[in-house]
Amino acid sequence: SCHSTISYRPIRPSDIEILEQIHGNIFPIRYESEFFQDVAHGHGIVSWAAVDHSRDDGKGDEPIGFITARVVLATESEILDLLKKDSAESEWSLVYILTLGVVDSYRNLGIASSLILEVIKYASSIPTCRAVYLHVISYNFPAIHLYKKMSFKCIRRLPGFYLIDGQHYDSYLFVYFVKGC
Ligand code: ACO
């Protein structure tokens, strides 16, 4: 299958231009150049790029998909109420997925699923981590389908969470519980 030529690695500074370009193409929301700097330099953000080694256009190391995430304190998050009460609560952490995307020509090959699994593996390796969570705009059915398939639970609908070109859109909050919940 095509999966065998896809591999996953951290995003690095030489990826900034292509990463910024892909984000611009596939998201309705603009991201500041500071965001891409932080991603590429690992400043408070963990990331994975999917690359296709079998490309014969000399771009075998160029990202064709990505996932970015941030580790946050559970007590500073909006989902503390979803976690079982515990005396170690103040130390709990969560992994928040910021962006996930795959370029058009590489969709439906399982690449986004693999990128999510990388984040789940990472979260599971952090002893204090209780869950992985994210927001998704309510009309993004491919992404909603994907998160459900990956065993994320849809926890709540947040009215008007996104503001795009002066229009408000609802979001869904999806959570994947890592352990003990
Ligand atoms: N409608 C419903 N389901 C769909 C559609 C669709 N149009 N397209 C794909 N799917 C399903 C597939 O069938 C598959 O599920 P299945 O295995 O049950 O068939 C699943 O969604 C896709 O699985 P993957 O192949 O792992 O996902 P892919 O690599 O194609 O990437 C992604 C999915 C990331 C949503 C891609 O379509 C994309 O980049 N979209 C634009 C950006 C985006 O929406 N990102 C997520 C926003 S939320 C966030 O960033 C936190």
Side-chain angles (χ1 to χ4, degrees):
S1 86
C2 346
H3 296 83
S4 55
T5 69
I6 307 291
S7 69
Y8 302 88
R9 61 160 177 80
I11 291 168
R12 45 190 185 228
S14 57
D15 298 325
I16 288 177
E17 204 174 319
I18 183 79
L19 197 67
E20 202 157 355
Q21 197 182 309
I22 303 173
H23 275 72
N25 288 343
I26 68 178
F27 292 120
I29 295 165
R30 299 239 56 83
Y31 291 87
E32 305 288 325
S33 74
E34 196 189 336
F35 169 70
F36 299 102
Q37 292 292 333
D38 290 346
V39 169
H41 295 280
H43 290 159
I45 294 178
V46 288
S47 67
W48 287 262
V51 299
D52 177 5
H53 298 295
S54 74
R55 285 170 74 169
D56 48 18
D57 56 2
K59 294 179 174 177
D61 195 40
E62 187 175 287
I64 48 91
F66 58 82
I67 194 163
T68 65
R70 185 190 294 288
V71 179
V72 300
L73 281 175
T75 51
E76 290 173 5
S77 78
E78 61 192 300
I79 65 163
L80 184 62
D81 59 305
L82 299 175
L83 308 172
K84 274 203 225 101
K85 284 242 158 258
D86 181 305
S87 57
E89 196 171 286
S90 65
E91 285 151 38
W92 288 351
S93 61
L94 302 167
V95 173
Y96 180 66
I97 296 178
L98 295 158
T99 62
L100 164 69
V102 174
V103 302
D104 242 324
S105 55
Y106 282 92
R107 289 190 187 163
N108 284 306
L109 297 173
I111 293 173
S113 303
S114 297
L115 287 163
I116 292 170
L117 281 179
E118 292 290 340
V119 170
I120 290 174
K121 249 196 295 172
Y122 170 74
S124 307
S125 77
I126 304 173
T128 54
C129 185
R130 314 310 284 184
V132 178
Y133 75 110
L134 58 88
H135 293 101
V136 58
I137 202 158
S138 58
Y139 62 71
N140 190 344
F141 302 112
I144 289 166
H145 175 94
L146 172 65
Y147 299 134
K148 287 183 173 162
K149 189 184 78 171
M150 299 300 289
S151 304
F152 281 67
K153 304 289 172 244
C154 186
I155 298 294
R156 52 179 84 109
R157 185 175 181 124
L158 302 165
F161 182 84
Y162 290 105
L163 179 62
I164 300 166
D165 295 331
Q167 273 272 118
H168 288 278
Y169 299 90
D170 298 354
S171 83
Y172 290 114
L173 177 69
F174 275 89
V175 181
Y176 178 95
F177 294 101
V178 171
K179 59 175 88 77
C181 302

